[in-house]
Amino acid sequence: MANQKGGVAKTTSTVNLSAALRERGKRVLTIDLDPQSNLTMSFGINPETLERSMFDVLVHRVPIADVIHQREVDVAAASIDLAGAELALASAIGRERTLEKAIAAVRMDYDYILIDTPPSLGLLTINAFTASNGVIVPVQCEYLSLRGLVQLESTLQMIRENLNGEVRIEGILPTMVDKRTVHAREAIDLLTENFGDIVFKTRIRKSVKLAEAPVRGGSVLSYQPDGPGAMSYRALAEEVLSRDE
Ligand SMILES: Nc1ncnc2c1ncn2[C@@H]1O[C@H](COP(=O)(O)OP(=O)(O)OP(=O)(O)O)[C@@H](O)[C@H]1O
Ligand SMILES: [Mg+2]
């Protein structure tokens, strides 16, 4: 899950898509690769009390299994010290493949591994791109930045040429859509004009429940199972599953 723009619902989408895939019987791991640790907190884990976290996996080569917590889905937890990982890895040989190598040990244990990334295209996000088959790009329609998407795509092109020939944008996900505004409709039209079929049919509407669920330490599927937020992320899971068939 990536977009260098902040606050576009990367974390919210990681939490709720993973819960929806779990509901469909898939074995799911989520990885928190953001020093803000929002994914970790969203699953009710306190980052400050962690003995070991993704920082230790990337920098001290601790097995990723040692930082995985069992919640609604499995969660490889992060804390603020992950902010130091970019610097610590900067001069390491194979620095872009550190996450890919760490994941290799558990890859066969899961059907889906969803990685939440920070709002930047730095080394942490590049590690995520190198380790991934596909990238889901949430975009907030209210502040749509096509230029940002072009920059993201050109970073992915570099990753394909140098590190991971397979990685592609799996889908663009319109989030925080306010159906009442003309602007939201225009933004979605603009997206489909420019990116065609890779824009998901599912649109995630604005819903305060999606913002409240993390406070309860879980997904909106467990907080309000029949609400619009849960329905939207279930629909997204169906789309992801059908694209993978
Ligand atoms: N569909 C929605 N309706 C209402 N609020 C939402 C929705 N999706 C996300 N939010 C809220 O918007 C804020 C930003 O979402 P989120 O943290 O998922 O974005 P992010 O892209 O992960 O941000 P960052 O770049 O800082 O990591 C959060 O407070 C979240 O609860
Ligand atoms: Mg986030």
Side-chain angles (χ1 to χ4, degrees), residues 161-176:
E161 282 164 17
N162 296 292
L163 293 159
N164 175 8
E166 185 184 358
V167 68
R168 284 196 166 59
I169 295 184
E170 161 109 12
I172 296 176
L173 176 67
T175 64
M176 303 187 212

Side-chain angles (χ1 to χ4, degrees), residues 44-59:
I45 302 160
N46 180 357
E48 282 166 34
T49 59
L50 296 174
E51 231 165 82
R52 279 179 296 195
S53 63
M54 282 307 295
F55 174 84
D56 303 284
V57 172
L58 297 176
V59 176

Side-chain angles (χ1 to χ4, degrees), residues 11 34 38 116:
T11 303
D34 183 354
N38 290 336
D116 187 25

Side-chain angles (χ1 to χ4, degrees), residues 88-136:
L89 287 176
S91 60
I93 292 174
R95 61 193 171 175
E96 294 99 346
R97 294 198 185 277
T98 313
L99 179 66
E100 180 186 35
K101 291 217 175 88
I103 291 176
V106 296
R107 208 160 190 141
M108 302 313 283
D109 300 337
Y110 297 100
D111 300 307
Y112 285 90
I113 301 179
L114 276 68
I115 308 168
D116 187 25
T117 61
S120 86
L121 295 171
L123 191 50
L124 287 167
T125 303
I126 287 176
N127 262 274
F129 289 161
T130 304
S132 295
N133 307 92
V135 182
I136 295 178

